[in-house]
């Protein structure tokens, strides 16, 4: 029964959330075809050089058995990896869904207590409640990111595309970040080319991308920070770029930067808070919107993150 399930290629690919070329059962089928071809070719070559047909058949049989054993071992290991990955995604999905409701309740109760509607509270108690609120907000942000990750992994991240101005959206976000930037001793500069066309994408999701890049640029800058945001047109795309003079990213960490939960070694040293999910989410959103994302960075000098999105 299991063998039939394994041979149902589309079902297995969907279950693991993998493309055809990464799917264990498809790879097994492909290897089967290759083994058949190798057997035929080795038989034809064998009959040319070896007079005894039984020896040729034996050699072909041995080669096929070895290849089949190798194919089974490789696809089994692939399948185990795919299964582990699927279970991890399922775990993220369950945890994030289960934590959402109790966390909302917690925040609601804290806010109710702070409002004083259920009885007067002392000044000292307000301070403690503020700490509770801050922590529950952080947990809510983490759960929100985990929910998006689980949607990305199960290919359920839906984009509601519309036409909008990236310039207007960026200005809006900069305004919302003014307080945080000031508190972090950081100055934000913005420039955009004149008469930029609108882009076509999910405004809410693209907002998350910009918020994350701006939040990182401010958070990973120690001392007097300068963040420059530039928007320009580049062929059929609108190009967004954010440059900071912050701590930068060590060279050896740069290739992992868009992986989920990855945080560079230098930020761990500075004890800056974070989850390592923001850039993973940003990449998924930009790429699903038909765009591209990238960065260049030098440790100790700063980073420039960019993305480009298609004009309709
Ligand atoms: P988080 O910021 O929550 O850790 P992100 O996915 O947004 O998660 O970023 C992943 C990692 O990339 C960060 O932990 C940090 O090491 C590095 N990083 C991102 N943006 C910057 C930046 N502007 N300057 C320096 N390092 C950065």
């Amino acid at each position: 029964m299991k063998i039939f399930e394994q041979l149902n290629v589309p079902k297995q690919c969907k279950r693991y959330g993998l493309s055809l070329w990464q799917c264990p059962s498809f790879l097994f089928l492909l290897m089967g075809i290759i083994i058949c071809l190798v057997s035929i070719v080795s038989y034809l070559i064998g009959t040319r050089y070896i007079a005894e047909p039984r020896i040729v058949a034996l050699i072909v049989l041995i080669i096929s058995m070895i290849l089949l054993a190798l194919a089974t071992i490789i696809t089994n290991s692939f399948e185990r990896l795919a299964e582990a990955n699927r279970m991890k995604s399922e775990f993220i999905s369950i945890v994030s869904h289960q934590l959402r409701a109790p966390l909302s309740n917690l925040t609601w109760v804290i806010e109710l207590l702070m409002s004083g509607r259920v009885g007067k509270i002392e000044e000292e108690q307000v301070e403690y409640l503020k700490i509770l609120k801050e922590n529950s907000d952080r947990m809510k942000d983490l759960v929100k990111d985990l929910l998006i990750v689980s949607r990305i992994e199960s290919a359920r991240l839906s984009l509601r595309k519309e036409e909008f101005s990236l310039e207007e959206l960026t200005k809006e976000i900069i305004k919302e970040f003014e307080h945080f930037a000031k508190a972090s001793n950081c100055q934000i500069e913005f420039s955009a080319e004149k008469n930029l066309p609108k882009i076509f994408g999910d405004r809410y999701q693209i907002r998350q991308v910009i918020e994350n890049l701006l939040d990182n640029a401010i958070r990973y800058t120690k001392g007097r920070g300068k963040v420059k945001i530039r928007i320009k047109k580049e062929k059929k795309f609108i190009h967004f770029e954010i440059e900071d003079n912050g701590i930068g990213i060590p060279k050896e960490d740069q290739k992992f930067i868009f992986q989920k939960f990855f945080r560079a070694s230098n930020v761990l040293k500075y004890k800056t808070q974070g989850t390592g999910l923001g850039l993973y989410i940003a990449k998924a959103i930009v790429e699903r919107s038909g765009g591209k994302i990238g960065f260049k960075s030098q440790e100790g000098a700063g980073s420039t993150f960019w993305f480009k999105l298609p004009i309709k």
Side-chain angles (χ1 to χ4, degrees), residues 145 212-213 215-221 244 246-250 253 257-259 261-268 272-281 297 302-305:
D145 281 353
N212 182 260
L213 295 181
D215 182 74
N216 282 350
I218 300 172
R219 223 157 15 101
Y220 298 125
T221 299
D244 66 57
I247 60 173
I249 302 166
D253 288 338
I257 222 68
F258 289 106
Q259 281 182 11
F261 298 117
F262 183 80
R263 306 199 70 215
S265 46
N266 57 339
V267 301
L268 301 177
T272 335
Q273 275 165 6
T275 58
L277 290 175
L279 289 179
Y280 170 79
I281 294 172
S297 181
S303 313
T304 303
F305 278 81

Side-chain angles (χ1 to χ4, degrees), residues 2 6 12-13 15-31 69-87:
K2 198 171 176 244
Q6 272 175 339
Q12 203 195 44
C13 297
R15 177 176 147 85
Y16 293 140
L18 295 171
S19 71
L20 197 64
W21 290 98
Q22 295 169 325
C23 209
S25 52
F26 176 71
L27 293 176
F28 191 69
L29 274 180
L30 197 68
M31 284 191 200
L70 279 176
T72 314
I73 294 169
I74 294 170
T75 36
N76 274 349
S77 328
F78 253 74
E79 195 166 349
R80 245 177 275 158
L81 278 177
E83 181 63 18
N85 198 37
R86 190 190 65 80
M87 281 166 68

Side-chain angles (χ1 to χ4, degrees), residues 104-169:
S104 297
N105 286 345
L106 186 71
T107 317
W108 179 77
V109 173
I110 296 169
E111 278 168 4
L112 187 71
L113 287 174
M114 283 172 89
S115 72
R117 270 184 281 152
V118 282
K120 193 176 164 349
I121 44 170
E122 304 300 323
E123 223 164 90
E124 202 187 349
Q125 289 168 326
V126 173
E127 289 310 309
Y128 288 123
L129 285 172
K130 272 188 190 157
I131 296 172
L132 270 180
K133 172 94 173 48
E134 264 171 40
N135 282 287
S136 68
D137 283 347
R138 263 176 50 207
M139 281 195 276
K140 262 170 74 179
D141 284 346
L142 172 63
V143 168
K144 192 183 101 202
D145 281 353
L146 286 175
L147 272 170
I148 302 174
V149 168
S150 93
R151 274 187 208 131
I152 292 169
E153 293 194 330
S154 58
R156 277 186 296 114
L157 183 79
S158 55
L159 299 179
R160 260 180 278 151
K161 292 191 178 179
E162 58 180 322
E163 256 190 299
F164 66 91
S165 154
L166 192 66
E167 184 183 345
E168 293 304 319
L169 178 67

